[in-house]
Amino acid sequence: MDKYKLVVSDFDDTLLRNDMTVSAATVTAIKKLENSGGYFAICTGRMFQSIRREALKLGLKGYIMSYQGALISDIETGKTILDTPMKCEDVLKICKVFESIGAYYQTYIDDTLYVPEINEKTNYYTSLCNVEAIDVGAPLSNFIASTGKPAIKLLAMTDPEFAKKFIVEYNKKEPDFLFNISKPGFIEVISRKASKGIAVKSLCNILGINISESIAIGDSLNDLPMIEVAGLGVAVANAVEEVKSKADVVTASNDDDGVRRIIEEYCL
């Protein structure tokens, strides 16, 4: 092993190619990393049920950090290692903001997706992540209030330029929440006590390794927290410019097996 013992990768547009597959060569590199005593983990905004399904298909073991790092789980057993949800009353505060600007948004409670209506945005999301949505009727805040349960994430779909301005404003205005962009126009909200960066730190503690021994690879703004804290922060070539500018290394694109190249160059 080289000095890097843990490789953490985002999934969509990083590990996953544009044809919605992960190359056999990349899977082989991951397994070589694990066989040599290293660790590989996925850190994604996706629901746990969605990303676990993909990880099991690839034959991966170890850990998944889903919901932007708010939930850390064991791939094989499905056991929760760390859970950082938002209180119901806190969630409702952001729901009112989204409803006031007329944004379509959805929430995640107990690893289940709830939406105010089934529409084109819902269908795009469910087909992308291979999950089902439960239509509880608008406004969604009424349903959330009726459950009294904590939610692990909110996701609103808006104009991409509006989303950029929104997260800057509300990250300053709301200290209890972390506002991020996972895809253009996707505003994701989790607890400020969670992030991809915090998740990578937590996983390093679980594994008993130093954060300097970790590599984090991503493409979107929500990947910045882990790229900035890891021992080696990596952007794939198809990453947004803000991510490339903060990364230590820019590797090949998701379509050109950037994750595989980093594992082979720095870990094998």
Side-chain angles (χ1 to χ4, degrees):
M1 282 292 296
D2 204 330
K3 68 174 182 176
Y4 298 110
K5 298 179 180 178
L6 168 66
V7 177
V8 179
S9 176
D10 173 50
F11 190 68
D12 294 289
D13 302 313
T14 300
L15 184 65
L16 190 69
R17 299 185 294 188
N18 293 336
D19 65 0
M20 307 304 287
T21 66
V22 177
S23 75
T26 296
V27 175
T28 297
I30 292 170
K31 291 182 177 179
K32 284 183 178 179
L33 168 67
E34 293 174 334
N35 290 337
S36 68
Y39 303 94
F40 181 83
I42 296 172
C43 193
T44 176
R46 285 200 189 200
M47 302 171 67
F48 175 64
Q49 60 160 297
S50 171
I51 194 59
R52 185 187 184 212
R53 189 182 303 118
E54 299 296 329
L56 289 173
K57 282 196 302 185
L58 296 172
L60 300 183
K61 299 179 180 180
Y63 299 94
I64 285 172
M65 295 169 275
S66 53
Y67 295 107
Q68 308 291 359
L71 182 67
I72 302 178
S73 313
D74 182 274
I75 294 175
E76 293 180 282
T77 65
K79 179 183 177 182
T80 296
I81 307 299
L82 183 66
D83 187 8
T84 314
M86 299 176 286
K87 294 179 181 178
C88 181
E89 57 266 32
D90 293 337
V91 173
L92 289 172
K93 184 177 183 180
I94 305 304
C95 290
K96 295 301 183 182
V97 173
F98 286 149
E99 289 168 7
S100 70
I101 62 176
Y104 166 85
Y105 74 99
Q106 50 198 38
T107 193
Y108 308 77
I109 300 172
D110 296 332
D111 206 32
T112 301
L113 172 62
Y114 295 98
V115 300
E117 62 175 336
I118 303 293
N119 58 25
E120 290 182 359
K121 290 183 173 67
T122 315
N123 292 334
Y124 169 71
Y125 183 87
T126 55
S127 63
L128 177 69
C129 299
N130 191 23
V131 295
E132 294 184 357
I134 297 178
D135 180 352
V136 296
L140 184 56
S141 56
N142 285 353
F143 167 76
I144 294 171
S146 71
T147 69
K149 290 185 175 182
I152 200 158
K153 190 177 82 168
L154 293 171
L155 185 151
M157 299 183 193
T158 68
D159 173 77
E161 290 306 313
F162 174 83
K164 289 181 181 179
K165 295 176 183 177
F166 183 92
I167 68 164
V168 171
E169 177 184 354
Y170 276 85
N171 273 325
K172 293 177 181 177
K173 187 181 293 186
E174 298 290 349
D176 295 331
F177 306 95
L178 178 63
F179 297 82
N180 253 317
I181 293 176
S182 55
K183 283 182 173 290
F186 277 31
I187 301 170
E188 303 208 7
V189 189
I190 58 174
S191 168
R192 181 72 71 169
K193 296 177 182 178
S195 73
K196 288 193 174 189
I198 293 172
V200 171
K201 288 180 180 179
S202 298
L203 184 56
C204 284
N205 289 335
I206 291 168
L207 298 174
I209 65 176
N210 193 286
I211 189 71
S212 65
E213 299 173 301
S214 67
I215 298 175
I217 313 170
D219 72 288
S220 297
L221 292 176
N222 65 324
D223 297 316
L224 276 177
M226 69 175 184
I227 286 173
E228 291 177 333
V229 302
L232 185 72
V234 180
V236 285
N238 53 291
V240 297
E241 289 303 319
E242 295 96 321
V243 173
K244 288 181 184 178
S245 68
K246 295 290 179 65
D248 300 308
V249 173
V250 177
T251 187
S253 71
N254 61 325
D255 271 345
D256 291 324
D257 284 4
V259 173
R260 172 185 63 79
R261 293 169 189 255
I262 289 295
I263 292 174
E264 290 177 346
E265 182 175 354
Y266 290 91
C267 303
L268 298 180

